[in-house]
Amino acid sequence: MAVFVALGAFLMTLAGGWVAQRVTDRRHLVLGLAGGLMLGVVGLDLLPEAIEAAGEPVLGVPTALLLFVGGFLAAHLVERLLSARQVAHGAGGHHGDRVPQVGLTAAAAMVGHSLMDGIALGAAFQVSGSMGVAVALAVISHDFADGFNTYTLTSLYGNARRKALLMLFAAAVAPVVGAATTLLFTLPEELLGGYLGFFGGALLYLAAAEILPEAHHTHPARSTLLCTIGGVGFIWLVVGIAE
């Protein structure tokens, strides 16, 4: 049942990527929406789940929050190192230059997140049918945002359309693979919570430091801000329905 439901997530991920491709003439709106979706996923979905699952606090701070900060710093460090490497090889260094590897790394993290979605889906069905249905609703709904963000992140950093489509397809297949693996083993809850915290920090960095500034740089329009707010609201609605 979990694998069958994951096929719905596969289709929703592809649908999100398709929408991201079709609105290239409204790039600022796409980026504004992507930033809102990412912010909503991190603040309303990933972080609450991570805090609940990641185990005991460390020196009074929840483990998930420590990993969240670590993920944010890791994303910043990776981008700085790749940018420095690009400058050292004479590839530029002006403000606004995009390093393709950063986009691929971010998209790969989205694929990993989608894989964990599938594992969580399979684990939920192992507990009970009602829990499986609730998780399935959340996974299928927000995988649209995952597909949208995966394609947007890859293409934003200057990667070819072929690579963006490849990462989109990988993100679409990942939930199916993740759900299938739960037939073989069960992922410890604390490990899943720690991963979600770390990934949430990295995703927030990309949204706050890259996606949203880019969206408002050339088109500081009210419509862009509304798209961002709408993205957050969409994830809020998805999380509320799932609960």
Side-chain angles (χ1 to χ4, degrees):
M1 183 62 183
V3 175
F4 177 76
V5 172
L7 292 175
F10 171 85
L11 295 176
M12 287 298 288
T13 304
L14 292 180
W18 181 83
V19 170
Q21 293 180 67
R22 300 299 295 180
V23 291
T24 52
D25 58 330
R26 293 290 185 270
R27 186 168 176 270
H28 58 292
L29 298 180
V30 172
L31 294 176
L33 178 61
L37 291 172
M38 292 164 71
L39 177 59
V41 166
V42 171
L44 306 179
D45 186 19
L46 292 182
L47 205 50
E49 289 185 22
I51 292 173
E52 183 178 348
E56 296 298 322
V58 178
L59 296 178
V61 179
T63 302
L65 292 183
L66 289 174
L67 289 168
F68 174 80
V69 173
F72 189 97
L73 293 175
H76 177 62
L77 179 62
V78 167
E79 184 183 39
R80 292 298 91 201
L81 289 175
L82 290 175
S83 297
R85 181 181 177 185
Q86 185 185 46
V87 172
H89 286 78
H94 301 290
H95 178 73
D97 283 349
R98 298 294 173 182
V99 184
Q101 293 91 334
V102 173
L104 291 176
T105 301
M110 293 297 298
V111 174
H113 170 57
S114 295
L115 181 67
M116 291 300 180
D117 276 350
I119 293 174
L121 180 61
F125 272 104
Q126 288 179 358
V127 174
S128 69
S130 59
M131 180 176 291
V133 170
V135 173
L137 179 61
V139 168
I140 290 177
S141 299
H142 92 254
D143 270 1
F144 177 88
D146 286 350
F148 190 98
N149 289 333
T150 299
Y151 185 89
T152 301
L153 283 168
T154 309
S155 58
L156 174 64
Y157 283 84
N159 291 286
R161 182 173 179 269
R162 179 179 60 83
K163 289 185 178 180
L165 290 174
L166 181 63
M167 296 307 295
L168 173 63
F169 183 75
V173 171
V176 181
V177 175
T181 60
T182 59
L183 301 175
L184 305 175
F185 67 90
T186 301
L187 186 70
E189 185 179 18
E190 290 188 3
L191 180 60
L192 177 60
Y195 169 81
L196 291 176
F198 186 85
F199 172 69
L203 199 61
L204 181 63
Y205 174 81
L206 292 171
E210 298 292 335
I211 303 297
L212 291 176
E214 179 73 12
H216 292 275
H217 177 61
T218 55
H219 291 276
R222 184 178 303 172
S223 56
T224 307
L225 178 60
L226 290 176
C227 283
T228 302
I229 295 173
V232 175
F234 172 75
I235 298 299
W236 186 10
L237 178 63
V238 167
V239 172
I241 292 175
E243 293 294 331

